[in-house]
Amino acid sequence: MTLPLPGTGEPSLPEAPASGDMPPEEFRRRGHEVVDWMAGYLAEVGGLPVLPQATPGEVMARLPPSAPEVGEGFDEILRDFRATILPAVTHWNHPAFFAYFATTGSGPGILGEMLAAALNVNAMVWRSSPAATELEQLATAWVRQLVGLPEAFQGVINDTASSSTLYALAAAREALLPEAVEEGLGVAPRGRVYASSEAHSSVHKAVITLGLGRGGLRKVEADGAFRMDPGALARAMAEDVARGVRPLAVVATVGTTSTTSVDPVAEVAEVAAGHGAWLHVDAAYAGPAAALSELAHHFQGWERADSVVLNPHKWLFTPVDCSILYCRRPERLAMAFSLTPEYLRTREREEGGATDLMDYGVSLGRRFRALKLWFVLRWFGAEGIRARLREHLRLAALLAGWIEDEPGWELVAPVPFSTVVFRRVEEGLSPEEEGRLNLALLERVNRSGEAFLSHTALGGRVAIRLAIGNLRTGEAHVARAWELLRAAAAEREVAASLA
Ligand SMILES: *Cc1c(COP(=O)(O)O)cnc(C)c1O
C-alpha cells in the first residue's frame, strides 16, 4: 500500500533503504504473529501459573549481560521471550489474580496501546499532537461524567496515582505557601499535609519529594473501621496552627489500599475548608465505582475536593499505565509547573485557546494514553462498565458471606467494594503465631499457582486480602481460592495434631 501525499495525488517518496528498521512486509507478518499469540494468551492465561516460581536473579542469569554487537533475527528474540521472559511473568491478566488490586488489560485497551505505540506521538504541547491533547481532554471528561464529578473538574492523565498525588500536593503548596514560590522553603513557614494512618504511602512520598520533610505529613487516627476520624483531624490541624504550622492539604481516601475503607469525605472537607486547606481525594482504586448509584454514599463530599485521583488502570479495564488527576483549579497546577523555554513556544501557546498538557505536571514528554482509555470507554459503554463492576461487587459479597459462615475465619473489615480482608483465627494463638499461620496459608495457596493473594497488617495483626477486579474472574475462581485457603488450614491442623 502506497499512501498518496495529501493533496498532491503523488505517491509518497520511497523510504531510505538503509533505515535498518523492520521492513514493512516483515512488520506485517510479525504483527499478525504477535497478535495471534496475544489472542491465545488472553484466552488461555487462566491455565498458566498466576505466580511464577522464579527466584531473584534467575532471568538476568539466563540472558547475555551485554546487548548484541550485531542485530538478531526476530525469531530468536521471540524464542527468548517465550523461553525466558514468559515463565518469570506474574500474570496480572489471570482470572485468579487477587493480590494488591486486580486489573485487566482488556482487548480494546491493548489494541489502543498498540496503536499509540505505532503513532509514537509525544503530547507535550498541543501542536506536538493535537489529537492526543484533545482526546485526553475528551476521554477524561467522559470518565468524569461516568463517575458524576462536577464539570468544574478538568482531567489530565499521568502514569500513576503516585504522580497524580504529587502534582496535586505541589499545586496545594503553590496555593497555600506562596512564600516558597520564588525562593523555596528556606524562609517559608512550616507547611503540613494531613492524611489518615491508612492513607497510601504515595502521599508520604509526595510530601517528602515536595521538601516538607518526613514530618511534613501528619497521620490522623482512623476509627475501628479504618476511616479517618474527622474530630482527630480537626484537633491535629488546630494544634498545628497554634504552633505556627500552616495546613496545606488534607488527603482523604475513598477505598484505602489495605482494607478499601472510606474516609468520611464530607466531614473531612468541612474541617479542611475551615483552615482553607486543599482537599485531595485519593480514589485510585475505588473511583470507577462512583459510576454505580447504589455506592454514591461512599463518594459523598468528593465533589467538594480541589483534586481527585482515580486510576483507569486499576478497576477500569485499561492497561497500565493510566491515572487521571482531576483538578477543580487547574490554573493552580499550571502555576506550580508552567515554564516556557523558547524551544517550546508555539503560535497556539502565544495566542491562547490551545491546552499544552506539559503545564500540568513534571514530565514534558507524555504518552498518548488517552487512546486506549477512549477505546475501552467506547467498547464497554457506561452500561457495560457498570455491569462488570456490579458483578465484582457480587463476587466479593459472596466470598464475605462464606467467610462469615465458616468457623475459624473472620472478616476484619467491612467490604464496601470488591476487596475482602479476612484472617484465619485459632484459639490460643498469640498475634505473632496467628500472623505466621496466616502468612503460611497465603504462601501455600500462592505456591499452588492457582491463585495469587496478598496480605496486609491491621493493628499489628496480619490479614489476607482478596481483591476482585479482573474481567475474567468468575464465581468459580473465587470459590476455588476459598477452597484452597480452607484446605491449607485443614492440612496444617492435621499436621499440628500429628506433631
Ligand atoms: C494503588 C493506589 C495508589 C498508588 O497507585 P499507583 O498508580 O501505583 O501510584 C495510591 N492510592 C491508593 C488508594 C491506591 O489504591
mmCIF file with all atom_site columns, all heavy atoms in Angstrom, residues 101 160-162 200 202 253 255-257 282 284-285 311 313-314, ligand 1:
data_model
loop_
_atom_site.group_PDB
_atom_site.id
_atom_site.type_symbol
_atom_site.label_atom_id
_atom_site.label_alt_id
_atom_site.label_comp_id
_atom_site.label_asym_id
_atom_site.label_entity_id
_atom_site.label_seq_id
_atom_site.pdbx_PDB_ins_code
_atom_site.Cartn_x
_atom_site.Cartn_y
_atom_site.Cartn_z
_atom_site.occupancy
_atom_site.B_iso_or_equiv
_atom_site.pdbx_formal_charge
_atom_site.auth_seq_id
_atom_site.auth_comp_id
_atom_site.auth_asym_id
_atom_site.auth_atom_id
_atom_site.pdbx_PDB_model_num
ATOM   1   N N   . PHE A 1 101 ? -4.405  -4.825 43.910 1.00 0.00 ? 101 PHE A N   1
ATOM   2   C CA  . PHE A 1 101 ? -5.715  -4.605 43.304 1.00 0.00 ? 101 PHE A CA  1
ATOM   3   C C   . PHE A 1 101 ? -5.683  -5.269 41.932 1.00 0.00 ? 101 PHE A C   1
ATOM   4   O O   . PHE A 1 101 ? -4.800  -4.983 41.124 1.00 0.00 ? 101 PHE A O   1
ATOM   5   C CB  . PHE A 1 101 ? -6.038  -3.115 43.178 1.00 0.00 ? 101 PHE A CB  1
ATOM   6   C CG  . PHE A 1 101 ? -6.455  -2.512 44.493 1.00 0.00 ? 101 PHE A CG  1
ATOM   7   C CD1 . PHE A 1 101 ? -5.744  -1.477 45.049 1.00 0.00 ? 101 PHE A CD1 1
ATOM   8   C CD2 . PHE A 1 101 ? -7.563  -3.008 45.175 1.00 0.00 ? 101 PHE A CD2 1
ATOM   9   C CE1 . PHE A 1 101 ? -6.128  -0.933 46.275 1.00 0.00 ? 101 PHE A CE1 1
ATOM   10  C CE2 . PHE A 1 101 ? -7.948  -2.473 46.399 1.00 0.00 ? 101 PHE A CE2 1
ATOM   11  C CZ  . PHE A 1 101 ? -7.228  -1.442 46.951 1.00 0.00 ? 101 PHE A CZ  1
ATOM   12  N N   . THR A 1 160 ? 0.841   7.294  37.018 1.00 0.00 ? 160 THR A N   1
ATOM   13  C CA  . THR A 1 160 ? 0.364   6.596  38.215 1.00 0.00 ? 160 THR A CA  1
ATOM   14  C C   . THR A 1 160 ? -0.329  7.571  39.163 1.00 0.00 ? 160 THR A C   1
ATOM   15  O O   . THR A 1 160 ? -0.164  8.790  39.054 1.00 0.00 ? 160 THR A O   1
ATOM   16  C CB  . THR A 1 160 ? 1.546   5.979  38.991 1.00 0.00 ? 160 THR A CB  1
ATOM   17  O OG1 . THR A 1 160 ? 2.450   7.042  39.326 1.00 0.00 ? 160 THR A OG1 1
ATOM   18  C CG2 . THR A 1 160 ? 2.281   4.930  38.171 1.00 0.00 ? 160 THR A CG2 1
ATOM   19  N N   . ALA A 1 161 ? -1.028  7.006  40.131 1.00 0.00 ? 161 ALA A N   1
ATOM   20  C CA  . ALA A 1 161 ? -1.647  7.830  41.174 1.00 0.00 ? 161 ALA A CA  1
ATOM   21  C C   . ALA A 1 161 ? -0.569  8.511  42.007 1.00 0.00 ? 161 ALA A C   1
ATOM   22  O O   . ALA A 1 161 ? -0.789  9.596  42.543 1.00 0.00 ? 161 ALA A O   1
ATOM   23  C CB  . ALA A 1 161 ? -2.542  6.961  42.059 1.00 0.00 ? 161 ALA A CB  1
ATOM   24  N N   . SER A 1 162 ? 0.587   7.867  42.124 1.00 0.00 ? 162 SER A N   1
ATOM   25  C CA  . SER A 1 162 ? 1.675   8.484  42.894 1.00 0.00 ? 162 SER A CA  1
ATOM   26  C C   . SER A 1 162 ? 2.053   9.821  42.269 1.00 0.00 ? 162 SER A C   1
ATOM   27  O O   . SER A 1 162 ? 2.241   10.813 42.978 1.00 0.00 ? 162 SER A O   1
ATOM   28  C CB  . SER A 1 162 ? 2.887   7.554  42.944 1.00 0.00 ? 162 SER A CB  1
ATOM   29  O OG  . SER A 1 162 ? 2.523   6.296  43.466 1.00 0.00 ? 162 SER A OG  1
ATOM   30  N N   . HIS A 1 200 ? -2.364  5.868  51.494 1.00 0.00 ? 200 HIS A N   1
ATOM   31  C CA  . HIS A 1 200 ? -1.329  5.181  50.701 1.00 0.00 ? 200 HIS A CA  1
ATOM   32  C C   . HIS A 1 200 ? 0.036   5.842  50.914 1.00 0.00 ? 200 HIS A C   1
ATOM   33  O O   . HIS A 1 200 ? 0.136   7.062  51.096 1.00 0.00 ? 200 HIS A O   1
ATOM   34  C CB  . HIS A 1 200 ? -1.720  5.267  49.221 1.00 0.00 ? 200 HIS A CB  1
ATOM   35  C CG  . HIS A 1 200 ? -0.905  4.381  48.348 1.00 0.00 ? 200 HIS A CG  1
ATOM   36  N ND1 . HIS A 1 200 ? 0.235   4.818  47.703 1.00 0.00 ? 200 HIS A ND1 1
ATOM   37  C CD2 . HIS A 1 200 ? -1.046  3.072  48.025 1.00 0.00 ? 200 HIS A CD2 1
ATOM   38  C CE1 . HIS A 1 200 ? 0.739   3.815  47.006 1.00 0.00 ? 200 HIS A CE1 1
ATOM   39  N NE2 . HIS A 1 200 ? -0.018  2.748  47.184 1.00 0.00 ? 200 HIS A NE2 1
ATOM   40  N N   . SER A 1 202 ? 2.130   6.654  48.890 1.00 0.00 ? 202 SER A N   1
ATOM   41  C CA  . SER A 1 202 ? 2.467   7.667  47.873 1.00 0.00 ? 202 SER A CA  1
ATOM   42  C C   . SER A 1 202 ? 2.229   9.082  48.409 1.00 0.00 ? 202 SER A C   1
ATOM   43  O O   . SER A 1 202 ? 2.859   10.037 47.952 1.00 0.00 ? 202 SER A O   1
ATOM   44  C CB  . SER A 1 202 ? 1.648   7.443  46.596 1.00 0.00 ? 202 SER A CB  1
ATOM   45  O OG  . SER A 1 202 ? 0.269   7.461  46.877 1.00 0.00 ? 202 SER A OG  1
ATOM   46  N N   . THR A 1 253 ? -9.140  9.455  51.617 1.00 0.00 ? 253 THR A N   1
ATOM   47  C CA  . THR A 1 253 ? -9.099  8.290  50.731 1.00 0.00 ? 253 THR A CA  1
ATOM   48  C C   . THR A 1 253 ? -10.470 7.636  50.645 1.00 0.00 ? 253 THR A C   1
ATOM   49  O O   . THR A 1 253 ? -11.106 7.392  51.673 1.00 0.00 ? 253 THR A O   1
ATOM   50  C CB  . THR A 1 253 ? -8.079  7.257  51.257 1.00 0.00 ? 253 THR A CB  1
ATOM   51  O OG1 . THR A 1 253 ? -6.847  7.924  51.520 1.00 0.00 ? 253 THR A OG1 1
ATOM   52  C CG2 . THR A 1 253 ? -7.841  6.153  50.233 1.00 0.00 ? 253 THR A CG2 1
ATOM   53  N N   . GLY A 1 255 ? -11.556 4.246  49.520 1.00 0.00 ? 255 GLY A N   1
ATOM   54  C CA  . GLY A 1 255 ? -11.017 2.945  49.115 1.00 0.00 ? 255 GLY A CA  1
ATOM   55  C C   . GLY A 1 255 ? -9.535  2.850  49.442 1.00 0.00 ? 255 GLY A C   1
ATOM   56  O O   . GLY A 1 255 ? -8.692  2.901  48.549 1.00 0.00 ? 255 GLY A O   1
ATOM   57  N N   . THR A 1 256 ? -9.204  2.699  50.729 1.00 0.00 ? 256 THR A N   1
ATOM   58  C CA  . THR A 1 256 ? -7.788  2.610  51.102 1.00 0.00 ? 256 THR A CA  1
ATOM   59  C C   . THR A 1 256 ? -7.194  1.301  50.588 1.00 0.00 ? 256 THR A C   1
ATOM   60  O O   . THR A 1 256 ? -7.917  0.340  50.300 1.00 0.00 ? 256 THR A O   1
ATOM   61  C CB  . THR A 1 256 ? -7.607  2.680  52.630 1.00 0.00 ? 256 THR A CB  1
ATOM   62  O OG1 . THR A 1 256 ? -8.350  1.610  53.219 1.00 0.00 ? 256 THR A OG1 1
ATOM   63  C CG2 . THR A 1 256 ? -8.080  4.014  53.194 1.00 0.00 ? 256 THR A CG2 1
ATOM   64  N N   . THR A 1 257 ? -5.884  1.281  50.535 1.00 0.00 ? 257 THR A N   1
ATOM   65  C CA  . THR A 1 257 ? -5.207  0.144  49.915 1.00 0.00 ? 257 THR A CA  1
ATOM   66  C C   . THR A 1 257 ? -5.284  -1.111 50.786 1.00 0.00 ? 257 THR A C   1
ATOM   67  O O   . THR A 1 257 ? -5.456  -2.214 50.271 1.00 0.00 ? 257 THR A O   1
ATOM   68  C CB  . THR A 1 257 ? -3.760  0.528  49.606 1.00 0.00 ? 257 THR A CB  1
ATOM   69  O OG1 . THR A 1 257 ? -3.792  1.796  48.951 1.00 0.00 ? 257 THR A OG1 1
ATOM   70  C CG2 . THR A 1 257 ? -3.106  -0.474 48.693 1.00 0.00 ? 257 THR A CG2 1
ATOM   71  N N   . ASP A 1 282 ? -8.062  10.680 47.245 1.00 0.00 ? 282 ASP A N   1
ATOM   72  C CA  . ASP A 1 282 ? -7.387  9.548  46.611 1.00 0.00 ? 282 ASP A CA  1
ATOM   73  C C   . ASP A 1 282 ? -8.404  8.423  46.446 1.00 0.00 ? 282 ASP A C   1
ATOM   74  O O   . ASP A 1 282 ? -8.771  7.742  47.404 1.00 0.00 ? 282 ASP A O   1
ATOM   75  C CB  . ASP A 1 282 ? -6.204  9.093  47.480 1.00 0.00 ? 282 ASP A CB  1
ATOM   76  C CG  . ASP A 1 282 ? -5.454  7.920  46.872 1.00 0.00 ? 282 ASP A CG  1
ATOM   77  O OD1 . ASP A 1 282 ? -5.882  7.423  45.815 1.00 0.00 ? 282 ASP A OD1 1
ATOM   78  O OD2 . ASP A 1 282 ? -4.437  7.511  47.464 1.00 0.00 ? 282 ASP A OD2 1
ATOM   79  N N   . ALA A 1 284 ? -7.884  6.109  43.901 1.00 0.00 ? 284 ALA A N   1
ATOM   80  C CA  . ALA A 1 284 ? -7.126  5.441  42.834 1.00 0.00 ? 284 ALA A CA  1
ATOM   81  C C   . ALA A 1 284 ? -7.784  4.129  42.421 1.00 0.00 ? 284 ALA A C   1
ATOM   82  O O   . ALA A 1 284 ? -7.962  3.852  41.244 1.00 0.00 ? 284 ALA A O   1
ATOM   83  C CB  . ALA A 1 284 ? -5.684  5.199  43.281 1.00 0.00 ? 284 ALA A CB  1
ATOM   84  N N   . TYR A 1 285 ? -8.168  3.330  43.419 1.00 0.00 ? 285 TYR A N   1
ATOM   85  C CA  . TYR A 1 285 ? -8.810  2.048  43.125 1.00 0.00 ? 285 TYR A CA  1
ATOM   86  C C   . TYR A 1 285 ? -10.328 2.187  42.969 1.00 0.00 ? 285 TYR A C   1
ATOM   87  O O   . TYR A 1 285 ? -10.916 1.763  41.981 1.00 0.00 ? 285 TYR A O   1
ATOM   88  C CB  . TYR A 1 285 ? -8.468  1.042  44.229 1.00 0.00 ? 285 TYR A CB  1
ATOM   89  C CG  . TYR A 1 285 ? -9.523  -0.009 44.511 1.00 0.00 ? 285 TYR A CG  1
ATOM   90  C CD1 . TYR A 1 285 ? -9.775  -1.039 43.595 1.00 0.00 ? 285 TYR A CD1 1
ATOM   91  C CD2 . TYR A 1 285 ? -10.269 0.007  45.686 1.00 0.00 ? 285 TYR A CD2 1
ATOM   92  C CE1 . TYR A 1 285 ? -10.750 -2.009 43.860 1.00 0.00 ? 285 TYR A CE1 1
ATOM   93  C CE2 . TYR A 1 285 ? -11.233 -0.957 45.954 1.00 0.00 ? 285 TYR A CE2 1
ATOM   94  C CZ  . TYR A 1 285 ? -11.465 -1.960 45.041 1.00 0.00 ? 285 TYR A CZ  1
ATOM   95  O OH  . TYR A 1 285 ? -12.424 -2.904 45.299 1.00 0.00 ? 285 TYR A OH  1
ATOM   96  N N   . ASN A 1 311 ? -7.623  5.763  39.018 1.00 0.00 ? 311 ASN A N   1
ATOM   97  C CA  . ASN A 1 311 ? -6.778  5.042  38.058 1.00 0.00 ? 311 ASN A CA  1
ATOM   98  C C   . ASN A 1 311 ? -7.586  4.124  37.142 1.00 0.00 ? 311 ASN A C   1
ATOM   99  O O   . ASN A 1 311 ? -7.992  3.044  37.576 1.00 0.00 ? 311 ASN A O   1
ATOM   100 C CB  . ASN A 1 311 ? -5.782  4.138  38.810 1.00 0.00 ? 311 ASN A CB  1
ATOM   101 C CG  . ASN A 1 311 ? -4.580  4.869  39.343 1.00 0.00 ? 311 ASN A CG  1
ATOM   102 O OD1 . ASN A 1 311 ? -4.485  6.088  39.218 1.00 0.00 ? 311 ASN A OD1 1
ATOM   103 N ND2 . ASN A 1 311 ? -3.658  4.129  39.920 1.00 0.00 ? 311 ASN A ND2 1
ATOM   104 N N   . HIS A 1 313 ? -6.299  2.304  35.156 1.00 0.00 ? 313 HIS A N   1
ATOM   105 C CA  . HIS A 1 313 ? -5.516  1.061  35.046 1.00 0.00 ? 313 HIS A CA  1
ATOM   106 C C   . HIS A 1 313 ? -5.727  0.129  36.238 1.00 0.00 ? 313 HIS A C   1
ATOM   107 O O   . HIS A 1 313 ? -5.167  -0.955 36.277 1.00 0.00 ? 313 HIS A O   1
ATOM   108 C CB  . HIS A 1 313 ? -4.029  1.339  34.770 1.00 0.00 ? 313 HIS A CB  1
ATOM   109 C CG  . HIS A 1 313 ? -3.185  1.777  35.932 1.00 0.00 ? 313 HIS A CG  1
ATOM   110 N ND1 . HIS A 1 313 ? -2.240  2.767  35.821 1.00 0.00 ? 313 HIS A ND1 1
ATOM   111 C CD2 . HIS A 1 313 ? -3.105  1.362  37.208 1.00 0.00 ? 313 HIS A CD2 1
ATOM   112 C CE1 . HIS A 1 313 ? -1.625  2.932  36.984 1.00 0.00 ? 313 HIS A CE1 1
ATOM   113 N NE2 . HIS A 1 313 ? -2.136  2.096  37.845 1.00 0.00 ? 313 HIS A NE2 1
ATOM   114 N N   . LYS A 1 314 ? -6.550  0.534  37.189 1.00 0.00 ? 314 LYS A N   1
ATOM   115 C CA  . LYS A 1 314 ? -6.909  -0.402 38.248 1.00 0.00 ? 314 LYS A CA  1
ATOM   116 C C   . LYS A 1 314 ? -8.255  -1.060 37.935 1.00 0.00 ? 314 LYS A C   1
ATOM   117 O O   . LYS A 1 314 ? -8.291  -2.180 37.483 1.00 0.00 ? 314 LYS A O   1
ATOM   118 C CB  . LYS A 1 314 ? -6.931  0.299  39.605 1.00 0.00 ? 314 LYS A CB  1
ATOM   119 C CG  . LYS A 1 314 ? -5.537  0.333  40.228 1.00 0.00 ? 314 LYS A CG  1
ATOM   120 C CD  . LYS A 1 314 ? -5.533  0.881  41.627 1.00 0.00 ? 314 LYS A CD  1
ATOM   121 C CE  . LYS A 1 314 ? -4.149  0.703  42.245 1.00 0.00 ? 314 LYS A CE  1
ATOM   122 N NZ  . LYS A 1 314 ? -3.949  1.629  43.373 1.00 0.00 ? 314 LYS A NZ  1
HETATM 123 C C1  . LIG B 2 .   ? -2.857  1.833  44.165 1.00 0.00 ? 1   LIG B C1  1
HETATM 124 C C2  . LIG B 2 .   ? -3.068  3.029  44.973 1.00 0.00 ? 1   LIG B C2  1
HETATM 125 C C3  . LIG B 2 .   ? -2.187  4.117  44.889 1.00 0.00 ? 1   LIG B C3  1
HETATM 126 C C4  . LIG B 2 .   ? -0.937  4.085  44.065 1.00 0.00 ? 1   LIG B C4  1
HETATM 127 O O1  . LIG B 2 .   ? -1.215  3.919  42.726 1.00 0.00 ? 1   LIG B O1  1
HETATM 128 P P1  . LIG B 2 .   ? -0.062  3.979  41.617 1.00 0.00 ? 1   LIG B P1  1
HETATM 129 O O2  . LIG B 2 .   ? -0.821  4.294  40.384 1.00 0.00 ? 1   LIG B O2  1
HETATM 130 O O3  . LIG B 2 .   ? 0.551   2.628  41.600 1.00 0.00 ? 1   LIG B O3  1
HETATM 131 O O4  . LIG B 2 .   ? 0.913   5.021  42.005 1.00 0.00 ? 1   LIG B O4  1
HETATM 132 C C5  . LIG B 2 .   ? -2.491  5.236  45.624 1.00 0.00 ? 1   LIG B C5  1
HETATM 133 N N1  . LIG B 2 .   ? -3.571  5.284  46.415 1.00 0.00 ? 1   LIG B N1  1
HETATM 134 C C6  . LIG B 2 .   ? -4.431  4.260  46.532 1.00 0.00 ? 1   LIG B C6  1
HETATM 135 C C7  . LIG B 2 .   ? -5.615  4.381  47.420 1.00 0.00 ? 1   LIG B C7  1
HETATM 136 C C8  . LIG B 2 .   ? -4.202  3.095  45.815 1.00 0.00 ? 1   LIG B C8  1
HETATM 137 O O5  . LIG B 2 .   ? -5.051  2.073  45.938 1.00 0.00 ? 1   LIG B O5  1
#
